[in-house]
Amino acid sequence: MEAIISLRGVGLTFTRDGEQTEVLRGLDLDVAPGRFIAVLGPSGVGKSTLLRVIAGLLPPSAGIATVNARAEGFRLPVALVFQDSRLLPWRTVLSNAGFGLEHGKVSKRERHDKARAALALVGLPGFDKRYPHEMSGGQRQRVALARALAVDPDILLMDEPFAAVDALTREALQDELARIHAATHKTIIFVTHSITEAVYLADEVIAITGKPGRLAASIPIDTPRPRRRDDPDNRALITRLRAILGEEETA
Amino acid sequence: MKRTRSLALGALGFFLFLGLWESLPAFNIVPASVLPPPSALPNAFWREVSNGIWFSSLLTSLRNYLSGLLIGSFLGIALGVATGMSATLESFLSWVVRILRPIPGLAWVPFAILWFGIDPAAAIFIISTGVFWICYFAALGSVHAVDRDLIEVANAFGFRRTDQRLIKVILPAAAPGILIGFRTALGQAWMAVVASEIFGVPGLGQRMMQASNLLASDIVVIYMATMAALYGLIDTTFVMLQSRVLRWKR
């Protein structure tokens, strides 16, 4: 099957005040449609930058990034979920969830229907009129996920989406995401710091390490779904990933 | 309980104030022509209302006030937002702003009279100049303070044109700060109304000066009270509107 995301020698260098910082170098990656890819790596290695390149928010300074998804009708090719939810505080939950649909092609009624459907999908029905500050961190993160799902993207880009919520909420959100992935078959690129989270959720884990960040490993995870958190088969994999990421940090 | 108590204390203070005020001319400590007692005011008010001067002065002043406020705040907010969004425009205007900003609003009076004569337009010019700067800086600062992350959200969901960014994120995010500036301008504009009318433009201030020249101090107090009441009314109404608009804030 043709890759939905294809990176060839992608590099990114920021220039600020005349000083250049190379963040990513020589990244090659092919992602088949419907795959769930987890991206692991130490802080500041350029994982978020990689997501922004795929989202088209940052043009790569070297190489080619191809995304074979298109906007059609109300649909956007790619949608982002951020770590800190980033809801618009002046909008209600319903209005936040429908944000990406305000492109003039969708009637208000249709937009609300789609937003409500997305909120139901993430397990948040009946919160339409609430404002973000009236909700918990986990609930806000669900709204952010609904906002991304409402535009029915082919690719869902998630930047440490569960890093800021408590452990129990985090597990609930992981299960929710696994369920949504199974139901919608969206391609997901999921940046995380947690090796266990990556192994629990993804079809394939890629590790980015070094300065500038390069692809250090790409490991498919064949554990059948639904998965268990304490699957003994995953232990060897977790140890291996820890070694790849740990070695790099001490180097 | 606490609320009732503070309400009672407030009323007590107010009536003591009135009592003290009443007693000063009553015991001839100060002549009534210099300090009219509060008991003389209803009569004076009735005279001003029945000959129609009170109402027409009020209308004229309100018209100047609202015109100046509207023109000044619209231009100030528009230019402030534009400057906040464009570093080029900000650099371009920085010297001009540095020169014009420190000029007190009333220092424009000579030019206002020169350009517009003793005319409502002169008052409107002075009022809008003061309002302009307050709104300009409030808007500029609020736009600068808009969370860049929210602008990235707009970009990520396909709103990348300047007008889309403005409507989807920048204006709503900057609204609280802009409204705080506008509220300051509401008060500032009142001062400018009175000041410009003291220079002869018709309205409450002019009527007050006429009364003062005729030593009709009771009439002067009537207009002072009118201005205070009007400002209080406008400010209270605005705060109500503001909390409606900003009900999303905690």
Side-chain angles (χ1 to χ4, degrees), chain A residues 52 55-57 76 79-80 82 84 86-91 99-100 102-103 131 133 147-148 151, chain B residues 148-150 152-160 164 167-170 172-174 247-250:
Chain A
R52 279 159 183 75
L57 292 172
L76 294 181
L80 262 158
F82 304 90
D84 44 353
R86 296 200 192 172
L87 301 178
L88 305 179
W90 54 86
R91 287 170 172 251
F99 180 64
E102 296 174 1
H103 283 283
Y131 284 96
H133 74 84
R147 175 173 68 184
V151 299
Chain B
R148 300 289 114 182
D149 287 351
L150 294 184
E152 194 185 40
V153 170
N155 285 336
F157 283 90
F159 303 109
R160 300 192 184 186
Q164 290 175 323
I167 290 165
K168 299 286 177 199
V169 174
I170 292 176
R247 65 186 182 281
W248 54 271
K249 295 208 91 175
R250 65 199 91 191

Side-chain angles (χ1 to χ4, degrees), chain A residues 7-198:
Chain A
L7 307 181
R8 287 285 166 274
V10 163
L12 202 116
T13 305
F14 286 118
T15 307
R16 177 167 278 179
D17 304 328
E19 220 173 287
Q20 295 204 325
T21 317
E22 192 180 4
V23 184
L24 290 172
R25 185 187 288 177
L27 225 65
D28 293 318
L29 183 68
D30 282 302
V31 181
R35 288 281 269 186
F36 192 132
I37 310 283
V39 183
L40 280 170
S43 300
V45 83
K47 304 186 295 292
S48 301
T49 308
L50 175 64
L51 284 193
R52 279 159 183 75
V53 169
I54 297 172
L57 292 172
L58 287 173
S61 21
I64 300 168
T66 318
V67 173
N68 290 315
R70 257 188 232 145
E72 47 178 344
F74 72 93
R75 300 185 62 210
L76 294 181
V78 183
L80 262 158
V81 179
F82 304 90
Q83 178 185 331
D84 44 353
S85 82
R86 296 200 192 172
L87 301 178
L88 305 179
W90 54 86
R91 287 170 172 251
T92 61
V93 163
L94 187 68
S95 165
N96 264 296
F99 180 64
L101 297 166
E102 296 174 1
H103 283 283
K105 298 157 199 147
V106 192
S107 73
K108 189 174 175 184
R109 203 202 155 109
E110 224 182 322
R111 188 167 75 231
H112 285 174
D113 288 346
K114 288 184 194 306
R116 280 204 190 90
L119 286 167
L121 189 60
V122 300
L124 261 191
F127 286 82
D128 294 5
K129 292 203 170 74
R130 296 269 192 108
Y131 284 96
H133 74 84
E134 298 169 320
M135 310 188 83
S136 71
Q139 288 173 324
R140 283 203 290 267
Q141 218 43 23
R142 284 173 196 264
V143 179
L145 183 56
R147 175 173 68 184
L149 290 170
V151 299
D152 195 17
D154 288 324
I155 303 168
L156 200 52
L157 303 172
M158 309 184 78
D159 192 0
E160 297 185 44
F162 308 146
V165 297
D166 64 86
L168 277 178
T169 309
R170 184 171 191 154
E171 290 193 354
L173 286 169
Q174 288 167 353
D175 291 336
E176 208 77 69
L177 183 63
R179 188 178 57 74
I180 289 167
H181 180 235
T184 61
H185 303 291
K186 297 205 178 297
T187 309
I188 299 179
I189 312 289
F190 185 97
V191 168
T192 178
H193 269 121
S194 159
I195 296 176
T196 48
E197 182 173 73

